[in-house]
Amino acid sequence: RSELRKLLSYLSRYKRLSPQQAAWNHEDFALAFAMLDRDGDDKISPENFMLLVAFMHLTFEKVENETFLDRRFPSLAKSPCFLRFRIFVLSDTFQYGMLGVLFLMAIFTVAESIH
């Protein structure tokens, strides 16, 4: 229960809550938690946690963190050339290419150690 209270306070500090969500106080939260904690052990199942999240109408969005380049070199980070490079590096194509290179390196290392 205390972890969920911490989650609620964290969400209210770091996430922009709707007026309906912001109106939730610890008593409302405790009541909702008590309804979901059927066996009284101060724990709820993952399914019941998801019900609580849905009941509170919480949505979680992926937020881009500010990178070192964004902080130190904003003009470089915003340049079209770098943005295309970044998209490529974050793509599945790059990931599979790197896995292929690592796999080939492993094969060559084994082959070299055998001879």
Side-chain angles (χ1 to χ4, degrees), residues 15-74:
K15 184 182 184 304
R16 211 175 311 170
L17 300 176
S18 70
Q20 178 184 10
Q21 295 164 342
W24 274 71
N25 58 29
H26 289 292
E27 291 79 25
D28 296 332
F29 186 74
L31 179 62
F33 185 87
M35 290 171 38
L36 294 172
D37 181 23
R38 299 191 191 275
D39 56 1
D41 65 350
D42 278 346
K43 295 180 182 177
I44 58 173
S45 68
E47 295 82 19
N48 285 341
F49 175 75
M50 293 309 295
L51 284 174
L52 179 64
V53 167
F55 183 71
M56 292 178 66
H57 303 288
L58 292 177
T59 56
F60 297 96
E61 300 170 3
K62 185 176 180 179
V63 177
E64 291 287 330
N65 290 333
E66 187 179 44
T67 64
F68 174 79
L69 283 176
D70 291 332
R71 285 190 308 273
R72 301 289 183 197
F73 307 104

Side-chain angles (χ1 to χ4, degrees), residues 57-115:
H57 303 288
L58 292 177
T59 56
F60 297 96
E61 300 170 3
K62 185 176 180 179
V63 177
E64 291 287 330
N65 290 333
E66 187 179 44
T67 64
F68 174 79
L69 283 176
D70 291 332
R71 285 190 308 273
R72 301 289 183 197
F73 307 104
S75 60
L76 174 65
K78 304 284 188 248
S79 71
C81 183
F82 179 77
L83 291 175
R84 283 193 303 271
F85 175 73
R86 183 174 183 218
I87 289 169
F88 172 68
V89 168
L90 295 175
S91 71
D92 287 340
T93 304
F94 183 78
Q95 177 183 356
Y96 293 133
M98 289 284 91
L99 287 174
V101 167
L102 290 172
F103 182 71
L104 287 174
M105 288 178 66
I107 289 173
F108 291 142
T109 303
V110 169
E112 193 174 275
S113 67
I114 289 174
H115 293 297

